Amino acid sequence: MKKLTLSIIFGVFIVGIDAQVPDPKLTDKEKAEVKPQDKPRGNPDMPNSPKNLDKIPQTESKLPSYLGPLIMKPLMPEQPTTKSAQAPGKFLYDENFFKMDMNEKKALLERIQWKFQFWTSFNYFNNSDLRNINEDNQTSIEETDDRLYFAFTGVELDAFFPIHPRLDFRVDIWKAGFWGHDQLGGRDANNDIKYTRNGANTVNFGNLYLDAHLLLAPTPEKRLDLRVGRQAFEVGGQLEREFYLDDTLDAIVLRWYSKFGRLDLLALDVYASGSNTQDVYFVQYLSLDDEKVDGFNGDVNTYRYGLTYMYPFIAAVDPKTQTHLEARGFSFFARYGGVNDGGSDRTNRGTTGNFADNDFSQMRGVRVNAGFRGYVRGQLSYAESSGVDRKRPTVIYTSQDVDTIGQSWQLDLEFALFKRVLLITPSVFWSEGGKYYADGRQYSHGFVGFKGDHAGGMLSDLNWGLYPSAYIDDDGIDDTPFERQRKSGTFMRHIGIALGKPDSFYFRIDWWRLEDTNQVTLINGRTPGLGSLLSNRYQGPSLYEQQIRVELLRTVYPTASTQLAAYRRFSTPLGEEINLTFDWNILPNWRFWASTGVFRPMRYFATAGLEQGTPQGNARFTGFQMGTSFYF
């Protein structure tokens, strides 16, 4: 009873206060300024819609006389306050959410260029280890059964934003994954790039950069640009493949194009970042690789610098069909900090000191491109490298440093007949391999490139990932003649013949022959080179003579017995690969292809190497790929 009494008193008090407040009175001037409002949106069939409000009967509630009459009216919907929402059928939103120039925003939308690409393929590989399957027992099956069938798909969105006459922006994102087990849907066992460097099925950036135009209204012939971010960079002028430098860089590049030629200055490329940032607060949630290094006073990064300069003696818009003559010069330099692999050998990765090895390598060269009215075109390149990969000295302080002194050359040709119905494309590439003492110690990496394209056909390229020379890697110099992904000196010859209809379809056959160019004193013969251009004859000692030399050296250097036996691979043929391909442009933006390949191993792979689980044997390696792609 007491609670009920208090509730009644409180209610009477509130209502009484409301009754004492008079309704606001408008002057005649204020009434004249009131503008009629558009009818608010609502369902006309509903009883409480604005259309039917006057039809709803009003009810009068009888209250005590001292409170006066109280009229109960239905609630009116709240009137919109923004100008954009007052018009019927418009969405209720703030027209300028980011407080930007809307006219410029509309103009930018008309200038934006974008491209969407989709690709998918079915793949088959067998005997990539160069051994036939052995089903004698479980162990032999695990070591020799490597037949694969798989399909994968990828998508890419590339967008270009000409924001201002002095500023452009480009972003290219892509994602790829395997068919089956919802792997394309993100069902991956290793889908966390923070803990696994390789295989994380994430969305990736191909290009992510801004272009600042230092000259207003740049053209392809006249411009001065500063490009900052993730971008593609190459020497340029190659016909099909670039074996010296063709990579995606996190870099700052200055481009100056004028009547005096074209200069691409690589001001800075952060090739590897070893700085351990896990304790830095504002980047603590960013994914990172497993190459982070503590110590070395912050000297844990790898940087690349360099430039390419091209002068067109006879310029051409389309080198495939027009006469042209161009000359290029290029020079690049890389310096390593105390990275995990190769940058801290002298201190055993920082255990006996806190300084980096100060390893470095440089590459310089020239290239000439020429073509005559689309009938024939080609390029000839020469490059050389120099530098040092420092190693920990022996106990008697004998140097074990390995230099990067070597040479390389490349020749590509294309003969186009019958208005490009028949194409003949011979090419040659040679890079000097590593050099070793008779006791097994390496003293030179030979020619060291700056990471170009893979070599060979669909088997040695797509499956093995073979590189035709040692190269500058992000965490050290990669010179791996015994690994599956071989990166070492190679003499490669290729010829391709394509027959078809230009811009429609081609039937193509390609042949490659690969030979090793590494050399060990007293074991190998002369490395293959220019004298072997038209001959497949092996120029080194016979197998029996070579074995005698190895046995003699083993008696002098017994601790290097295993290495010396593996070095018999050097300066011998790796093998030959043949590819048959059908390439069909169903539409200008829709392509289908099918390719099959066979790799025949030779003496190089018949000799045991130093790495377990790598290709070794004489079984033929086969593969097939069929796929389609389109873009719009």
Side-chain angles (χ1 to χ4, degrees), residues 414-566:
E414 179 189 83
F415 300 95
L417 305 176
F418 313 112
K419 296 183 179 180
R420 301 188 67 82
V421 170
L422 176 63
L423 301 177
I424 303 174
T425 54
S427 62
V428 183
F429 177 82
W430 178 83
S431 66
E432 190 172 1
K435 300 180 180 63
Y436 299 76
Y437 291 119
D439 61 359
R441 289 184 297 117
Q442 185 178 11
Y443 65 91
S444 177
H445 290 296
F447 176 77
V448 176
F450 269 59
K451 194 176 183 181
D453 295 335
H454 293 158
M458 61 172 295
L459 302 176
S460 50
D461 176 358
L462 298 184
N463 191 288
W464 283 347
L466 186 148
Y467 286 91
S469 72
Y471 70 72
I472 296 293
D473 198 11
D474 54 0
D475 57 353
I477 295 172
D478 273 9
D479 182 10
T480 58
F482 298 106
E483 293 186 3
R484 179 187 181 93
Q485 189 179 11
R486 182 181 179 276
K487 309 165 190 175
S488 195
T490 306
F491 176 51
M492 178 176 64
R493 286 170 288 170
H494 162 257
I495 186 169
I497 300 175
L499 179 65
K501 181 179 179 181
D503 301 323
S504 180
F505 67 89
Y506 276 107
F507 293 94
R508 184 180 179 102
I509 181 171
D510 291 274
W511 169 85
W512 291 268
R513 181 181 173 93
L514 309 172
E515 299 181 49
D516 183 89
T517 60
N518 292 278
Q519 189 174 28
V520 181
T521 304
L522 302 179
I523 294 182
N524 312 119
R526 186 163 60 93
T527 59
L530 188 61
S532 307
L533 190 60
L534 300 177
S535 173
N536 291 336
R537 182 179 179 182
Y538 172 62
Q539 300 179 7
S542 67
L543 184 64
Y544 301 104
E545 181 184 354
Q546 189 180 61
Q547 186 62 35
I548 293 174
R549 296 183 183 185
V550 170
E551 293 301 328
L552 292 174
L553 291 175
R554 278 177 166 178
T555 60
V556 180
Y557 306 106
T559 57
S561 177
T562 303
Q563 292 173 283
L564 293 172

